[in-house]
Amino acid sequence: MSGRRRLGFVLASAVLYAAAFPPWYLWPLGWIALVPFLHALADLRPRRAVFAGLLWGCAAIWAVAAWVAPAISVYYQQPWWFGVVFCLVGCMILWGSHYAVFAALASWMAPRVAASWRPFVLATLWVACELGRARLVIGEPWMLLGYSLADRPLLIQAADL
């Protein structure tokens, strides 16, 4: 797969993921949002997958929270560039780093696991990544994939199982 096409898949996945959350509330997209991202990771080596994961994490948060950089600039009365730089660094640390680890592990494990087990392994890695993001470092549990179903109580009830 060409680099541009892979970049397109990563960014499309981030946009689909973000669209599942407010203000768009297109919750069914949460069920398919990761498909382009996983497709982009399919034949990457772990070192290159790290960059794809970092890009995906930063693009997903910026797609939902583009308002944060101007808010920081206005609220703290800082120049606009400070808000942008602050948010970029925050995205890489709080979001991108976790998804970079996921991408590296997914690209490393995928060829080593039987095709029939691959969806389960990738799902387990994803849940571990989100759990790590919610609990490690400073605990950033904002916009976890399951939250896209927050206004669908019948679908959320499956979490009890």
Side-chain angles (χ1 to χ4, degrees):
M1 177 183 310
S2 72
R4 287 184 184 190
R5 187 171 178 169
R6 188 179 318 279
L7 175 66
F9 277 117
V10 169
L11 295 177
S13 176
V15 169
L16 290 171
Y17 185 89
F21 294 93
W24 302 284
Y25 296 101
L26 300 173
W27 63 270
L29 294 179
W31 294 95
I32 62 166
L34 298 179
V35 172
F37 180 48
L38 295 174
H39 183 65
L41 295 177
D43 61 345
L44 277 181
R45 294 180 186 254
R47 286 187 187 178
R48 294 202 57 205
V50 164
F51 295 108
L54 187 65
L55 175 64
W56 186 90
C58 290
I61 191 66
W62 274 89
V64 171
W67 55 270
V68 173
I72 287 174
S73 177
V74 170
Y75 184 77
Y76 293 107
Q77 299 176 353
Q78 298 295 318
W80 68 270
W81 62 265
F82 177 80
V84 171
V85 170
F86 182 82
C87 286
L88 281 174
V89 171
C91 284
M92 286 187 221
I93 294 170
L94 298 176
W95 268 69
S97 61
H98 295 284
Y99 296 111
V101 170
F102 165 80
L105 288 173
S107 68
W108 182 78
M109 290 188 83
R112 291 168 172 76
V113 174
S116 59
W117 284 97
R118 210 167 289 151
F120 300 107
V121 169
L122 291 174
T124 302
L125 285 174
W126 184 264
V127 170
C129 169
E130 289 203 330
L131 182 63
R133 189 167 65 83
R135 303 275 170 97
L136 299 176
V137 186
I138 66 167
E140 174 60 40
W142 190 53
M143 265 183 51
L144 299 174
L145 185 57
Y147 294 169
S148 67
L149 298 175
D151 62 342
R152 301 287 174 219
L154 288 175
L155 294 174
I156 290 179
Q157 295 308 312
D160 287 345
L161 302 175

